[in-house]
Amino acid sequence: MEVARQEPIRNRVMPALAYDAALRREELCSLRTDDLDPAHRTLRVRAETTKNRLERVVLYSASTGVLMSACLAHRATISTARGPLFLSESRRNYAQPLTCGRGRRSYAGSP
């Protein structure tokens, strides 16, 4: 557990949220700030990111809510703009949407 605490907050909240909400990789990486309702601990999984093309609203746990609050506070130091929930912190792609490509790297804006 101590090793996990040393990870950046984004790297701690992503698996917790994926587990709580049973999210696939694309669903997780496609989350936007306006998909969250922290007051009710719910998130909206948009139809265009789901396998069956049906939107759903799911709950997440109180412990994930604590991580999410910290993640949102940290995200605000990177960008205050609404948009993708998870942003890159690398020098090359700073503040760009985090992508979760399969098998190869994928970059926002590439064909």
Side-chain angles (χ1 to χ4, degrees):
M1 292 302 285
E2 191 56 40
V3 173
R5 284 190 190 103
Q6 295 172 4
E7 282 291 315
I9 188 65
R10 183 193 71 202
N11 295 353
R12 288 183 281 155
V13 78
M14 287 180 80
L17 197 57
Y19 179 80
D20 282 355
L23 298 174
R24 293 171 35 256
R25 177 179 54 205
E26 183 181 353
E27 293 168 340
L28 180 66
C29 291
S30 298
L31 288 174
R32 300 180 56 79
T33 53
D34 54 344
D35 292 332
L36 291 174
D37 182 355
H40 295 103
R41 289 196 333 259
T42 61
L43 63 92
R44 177 177 56 116
V45 183
R46 287 172 282 113
E48 63 267 18
T49 65
T50 67
K51 213 171 173 178
N52 61 7
R53 301 293 184 222
L54 296 174
E55 185 173 300
R56 67 186 191 274
V57 175
V58 293
L59 299 170
Y60 54 89
S61 68
S63 58
T64 298
V66 171
L67 289 173
M68 182 57 72
S69 292
C71 184
L72 290 171
H74 179 70
R75 186 193 180 283
T77 67
I78 299 169
S79 173
T80 56
R82 288 187 167 204
L85 179 59
F86 300 113
L87 301 174
S88 173
E89 295 183 53
S90 73
R91 288 186 307 243
R92 189 176 75 201
N93 297 320
Y94 191 78
Q96 295 300 309
L98 193 65
T99 58
C100 297
R102 184 179 358 171
R104 66 177 182 88
R105 284 194 167 160
S106 61
Y107 300 97
S110 69

